[in-house]
Amino acid sequence: MVAMPVKMNKEDPPLTTVFGKAKWFAFADENGKVAVRENPFAGTGPKTVAWLIENGVDKIVTSHIGGNPFMFLKDAGVRLYYPGEGRVLVSEALE
């Protein structure tokens, strides 16, 4: 499953430049179905990482991430992808 921090809970939202502070994450399954979920641990990178892993995330698309969440994800074998600069929508990031 792929997760992306997003700015809002709507269809095809733009990615946000924050990771652990993101209030929303878009989750895309292997069939491309996307669901936006509220991050119950917004503001705490390590707890956000644990929540993502518990939800089966093995790939993350984000443009910015802190050192601690990066190391936790790396140690858990989660792959990170960079979507590019500027405004990127979930649909564009999945391409």
Side-chain angles (χ1 to χ4, degrees):
M1 179 167 309
V2 179
M4 297 158 274
V6 295
K7 291 186 178 187
M8 59 197 77
N9 182 9
K10 71 172 205 164
E11 187 175 334
D12 201 17
L15 275 62
T16 183
T17 57
V18 298
F19 180 79
K21 293 180 182 179
K23 292 183 181 181
W24 305 97
F25 272 83
F27 291 82
D29 66 17
E30 57 279 345
N31 298 319
K33 183 179 177 188
V34 177
V36 177
R37 300 181 200 161
E38 186 173 4
N39 176 4
F41 303 105
T44 58
K47 288 184 180 180
T48 295
V49 168
W51 173 68
L52 292 170
I53 292 169
E54 288 170 9
N55 279 276
V57 171
D58 59 356
K59 297 173 198 77
I60 292 179
V61 179
T62 186
S63 57
H64 299 275
I65 190 166
N68 285 336
F70 174 81
M71 292 307 294
F72 287 128
L73 291 166
K74 181 181 172 223
D75 291 345
V78 176
R79 298 181 74 161
L80 297 170
Y81 296 89
Y82 178 71
E85 290 296 321
R87 188 171 190 266
V88 179
L89 301 176
V90 166
S91 59
E92 297 167 333
L94 288 173
E95 289 178 11

